[in-house]
Amino acid sequence: MTTKPKARKFRIRRSPQPGMVDAHGDNTPVTPPAAANTPDDTLRQGELLSSAELSSEETIEDIRKQGLTGRELRMARRLAQKHGLAPTSDFDAVRLLRARGIDPFQRGSMLELVSAKVGLGGSGGGGNDDGGAQLLSGHPDSEPGDSGRVQLPQTIQTAKQTLPAPGLSPADRRAAEITSIQRDIARRRRRKMALLFTRLMAFVFLPTLIAGYYFYAVATPMYSTKSEFLILTADGSGSGGGGLGGLLPSQFATGQDSIATQSYLQSKDAMLRLDKDLGFRDHFSQPWIDPIQRLAPDASNEDAYKLYKKYVKLGYDPTEGVIRMELSTADPELSARFSEQLIDYAEERVDELSVEKRQDAVRTAVESLEQAKVERRNAQERLVSLQEGTILDPEGEVANIRQLIGSAEMQLQEKQLALNTQLNNARPNEARVDALRSEVEVLTVELSKQKARLTEASAGNASLASQAAAIQMAQADLATSDMVLQAALEAKRQSEIEANKQVRYLTVSVRPVASEDPSYPRSFENTILAFLIFAGIYLMLSLTASILREQVSQ
């Protein structure tokens, strides 16, 4: 007769509680050691538990609730292994020992465990005897002596003891260990805060303090002089009448001139002129100026130009057409003189620009006028030469000839009619007929002669008609030259008017006045700015170092 096997439940073994701490105060979970290396006691995840093991689960839960320390659990496992038991966890070791009637936390049991370890170590040599002595003394850092020396237990000072007193309850021992961990964390935080404060002091506060000392105690005060000026046209209407320029305000029409003037005042040419006239380099090379702002006596023009651009600041406002200038020096009176001299340079530059514009506007009109004058002179000379070589008034002569031709044609027609009338008679008068024929022949010859005077050339001269046509063409050319000359004169006059409108004037709206109080350095603002700069640099460097350290650690 066969019996049915008892039903078994599947249950996964639990790991130790994650919140347990060991005897050294490390807040790390207690990992159960590997089980005994026997076929029957090999641990596997998901293995079947017997009913006896299920009934003992409540006992393990009770042991867990007792709040045993990591040190006690480890000693219980070692004691279980000494007695030949195969516990699956530290709590299971406590359960198995208690099931056999052995108290794992009794002093006698612990001494037996220690003496057993000493005995095991003694069979191997003197070094293990030293280790047993260290275990008895509770001083893990004591160095082993020679094999012939007897290592006695050493007394540990009360302040250095890390284990709680044996009379404390498990809860008190755990609270003491937590307090020790908290103190260690606080100590580490204080050390890190001290290191952070040291770095901030070295890289932020100390440089800021040095910068503030320079700005407040060392830097030479600089006096600034401010002035404003603008460029206007002659009629105040921008670029003059006509075209799109008349619709633009003056500040937009003179924008290019203002920008050109600003560029000139900021150029090296203006710096050299100012140095030649008033000694710009000599002023900033004086020994009483602080070393940072002082210009070396043998400095190059490039170094002086850098200092010039630092202390001469110009700005152009295109909406108002105003050029603003601020000039700073160590002497307020000299600062005002420098500003006035630069304004004079700007006025000269504006005059040069307007002169060139006027010359460009009038030059083309003058050239056109001169060319028109030459052409008219040539046309008049050609007409005079034609009139000198021929009849003074060829048109009147042609009119007279045409009048004679007309009169001859009328007489010829009358005589021809009279001749025809005589010939139509039955008995014409021969004498009358001969006379009429003679008159007709004379009139025909005269008519041919007058016509030849108009169309045929005479000895060395062109025909009267060609002479008249040449004279008429010369007169037409002369009239055209007169018209071109008149237009050129009008264009020249208009160009001169426009050129006068292109004249630029520099008007100073704010005159430079010497200041009584220094404007630079701005000590408080510059110190705050230095602090922000150093703090930003330190922050970027620390973030970069943290990122690199994290990348390297991975």
Side-chain angles (χ1 to χ4, degrees):
M1 181 176 180
T2 59
T3 59
K4 291 185 179 181
K6 294 182 180 181
R8 294 186 179 182
K9 297 182 181 179
F10 290 92
R11 186 178 184 87
I12 301 175
R13 296 184 181 276
R14 299 181 181 176
S15 60
Q17 289 183 347
M20 301 303 295
V21 296
D22 57 6
H24 297 286
D26 297 330
N27 191 11
T28 57
V30 177
T31 304
N37 193 11
T38 61
D40 296 335
D41 297 331
T42 303
L43 299 179
R44 295 183 302 273
Q45 291 293 335
E47 67 179 350
L48 298 176
L49 300 178
S50 64
S51 59
E53 291 174 340
L54 291 175
S55 63
S56 65
E57 185 68 21
E58 295 179 356
T59 305
I60 293 178
E61 291 295 335
D62 295 338
I63 294 173
R64 286 177 178 173
K65 294 179 181 179
Q66 294 178 8
L68 300 177
T69 63
R71 176 174 176 274
E72 293 173 343
L73 292 174
R74 287 194 299 275
M75 296 187 66
R77 175 178 285 275
R78 288 195 293 268
L79 186 60
Q81 291 177 356
K82 174 179 178 294
H83 288 279
L85 301 178
T88 59
S89 64
D90 294 341
F91 298 102
D92 190 40
V94 176
R95 183 184 64 79
L96 293 176
L97 290 172
R98 288 178 178 177
R100 288 198 176 189
I102 301 173
D103 187 3
F105 309 117
Q106 188 178 4
R107 289 183 176 273
S109 300
M110 289 187 287
L111 291 175
E112 289 177 1
L113 176 62
V114 173
S115 62
K117 293 182 68 67
V118 171
L120 292 175
S123 62
N128 291 331
D129 293 339
D130 295 338
Q134 293 175 15
L135 183 61
L136 286 173
S137 63
H139 196 282
D141 297 333
S142 59
E143 300 180 356
D146 298 334
S147 59
R149 294 176 56 189
V150 178
Q151 298 293 331
L152 298 178
Q154 298 180 7
T155 304
I156 301 176
Q157 298 179 7
T158 306
K160 295 184 179 180
Q161 290 183 357
T162 57
L163 297 178
L168 297 177
S169 64
D172 293 339
R173 287 196 294 269
R174 185 169 60 180
E177 292 173 357
I178 293 174
T179 303
S180 176
I181 294 173
Q182 291 176 349
R183 289 176 180 175
D184 184 66
I185 293 174
R187 184 170 59 255
R188 292 179 182 177
R189 287 180 179 175
R190 287 194 297 269
R191 184 170 62 252
K192 290 182 178 180
M193 290 298 296
L195 292 176
L196 177 61
F197 182 77
T198 303
R199 288 194 296 267
L200 289 176
M201 179 63 70
F203 296 104
V204 178
F205 297 119
L206 183 60
T208 303
L209 182 63
I210 295 174
Y213 174 75
Y214 167 76
F215 291 129
Y216 277 98
V218 179
T220 302
M222 293 291 172
Y223 299 85
S224 66
T225 301
K226 297 182 179 180
S227 58
E228 297 180 3
F229 53 91
L230 66 159
I231 299 174
L232 300 176
T233 57
D235 55 354
S237 61
S239 59
L244 184 62
L247 302 177
L248 295 175
S250 176
Q251 58 267 26
F252 294 104
T254 59
Q256 295 180 352
D257 298 330
S258 300
I259 294 173
T261 304
Q262 178 187 0
S263 301
Y264 172 73
L265 292 179
Q266 289 181 331
S267 64
K268 189 183 294 185
D269 184 14
M271 187 271 294
L272 294 175
R273 290 186 62 184
L274 185 64
D275 181 44
K276 181 179 178 181
D277 295 339
L278 297 179
F280 177 80
R281 293 164 59 100
D282 296 338
H283 172 69
F284 285 96
S285 300
Q286 300 182 60
W288 52 271
I289 297 178
D290 65 272
I292 296 179
Q293 300 182 91
R294 187 191 309 157
L295 183 66
D298 56 346
S300 61
N301 290 333
E302 283 70 20
D303 296 337
Y305 182 56
K306 290 180 183 178
L307 193 67
Y308 176 82
K309 289 192 297 182
K310 178 181 178 181
Y311 291 109
V312 179
K313 301 177 182 178
L314 287 132
Y316 171 63
D317 188 358
T319 59
E320 300 177 359
V322 178
I323 300 176
R324 295 180 174 88
M325 181 175 64
E326 181 181 3
L327 196 147
S328 302
T329 60
D331 186 359
E333 297 296 335
L334 190 59
S335 176
R337 291 176 57 193
F338 282 174
S339 299
E340 292 177 355
Q341 192 69 24
L342 288 178
I343 291 175
D344 293 340
Y345 295 160
E347 190 171 2
E348 293 178 5
R349 176 61 60 175
V350 169
D351 292 339
E352 292 177 1
L353 292 175
S354 61
V355 166
E356 297 221 352
K357 286 188 176 182
R358 291 198 303 269
Q359 291 179 353
D360 291 340
V362 177
R363 186 180 298 113
T364 303
V366 172
E367 291 176 356
S368 299
L369 178 61
E370 294 297 329
Q371 185 177 1
K373 288 181 178 180
V374 171
E375 291 178 355
R376 185 184 182 282
R377 187 177 296 109
N378 294 334
Q380 191 172 10
E381 290 177 355
R382 187 167 58 254
L383 178 61
V384 171
S385 63
L386 289 174
Q387 290 177 350
E388 289 178 351
T390 59
I391 302 173
L392 183 59
D393 189 6
E395 293 182 357
E397 188 68 21
V398 169
N400 292 333
I401 292 174
R402 285 179 178 177
Q403 186 177 3
L404 292 175
I405 291 173
S407 177
E409 286 179 350
M410 291 179 64
Q411 291 179 10
L412 179 60
Q413 185 177 8
E414 289 177 358
K415 297 301 179 182
Q416 190 68 37
L417 290 175
L419 179 59
N420 292 333
T421 301
Q422 290 294 329
L423 292 176
N424 288 335
N425 294 331
R427 294 180 68 184
N429 187 354
E430 295 294 337
R432 182 64 179 170
V433 170
D434 293 337
L436 291 174
R437 286 177 177 173
S438 176
E439 290 179 358
V440 168
E441 292 176 358
V442 171
L443 291 174
T444 301
V445 172
E446 185 63 25
L447 184 60
S448 300
K449 180 181 177 182
Q450 295 300 328
K451 288 181 178 180
R453 290 177 61 188
L454 291 176
T455 58
E456 295 179 2
S458 59
N461 294 327
S463 62
L464 192 60
S466 62
Q467 293 178 4
I471 291 176
Q472 289 178 359
M473 292 177 62
Q475 290 176 351
D477 291 341
L478 181 60
T480 303
S481 300
D482 290 339
M483 294 176 62
V484 172
L485 180 61
Q486 186 66 27
L489 287 172
E490 184 65 23
K492 180 178 178 296
R493 187 181 66 84
Q494 189 67 24
S495 298
E496 290 176 350
I497 294 174
E498 295 294 332
N500 291 331
K501 292 180 180 179
Q502 293 292 333
V503 177
R504 299 291 190 263
Y505 297 98
L506 190 143
T507 302
V508 181
S509 57
V510 178
R511 303 295 304 181
V513 178
S515 60
E516 297 180 356
D517 297 328
S519 303
Y520 300 99
R522 298 172 180 173
S523 303
F524 179 75
E525 292 85 347
N526 292 341
T527 305
I528 296 297
L529 180 60
F531 172 76
L532 295 177
I533 291 174
F534 291 131
I537 293 174
Y538 172 76
L539 180 62
M540 289 189 295
L541 293 177
S542 60
L543 289 177
T544 304
S546 300
I547 294 172
L548 293 176
R549 191 184 303 112
E550 181 179 358
Q551 294 295 329
V552 171
S553 63
Q554 291 179 358

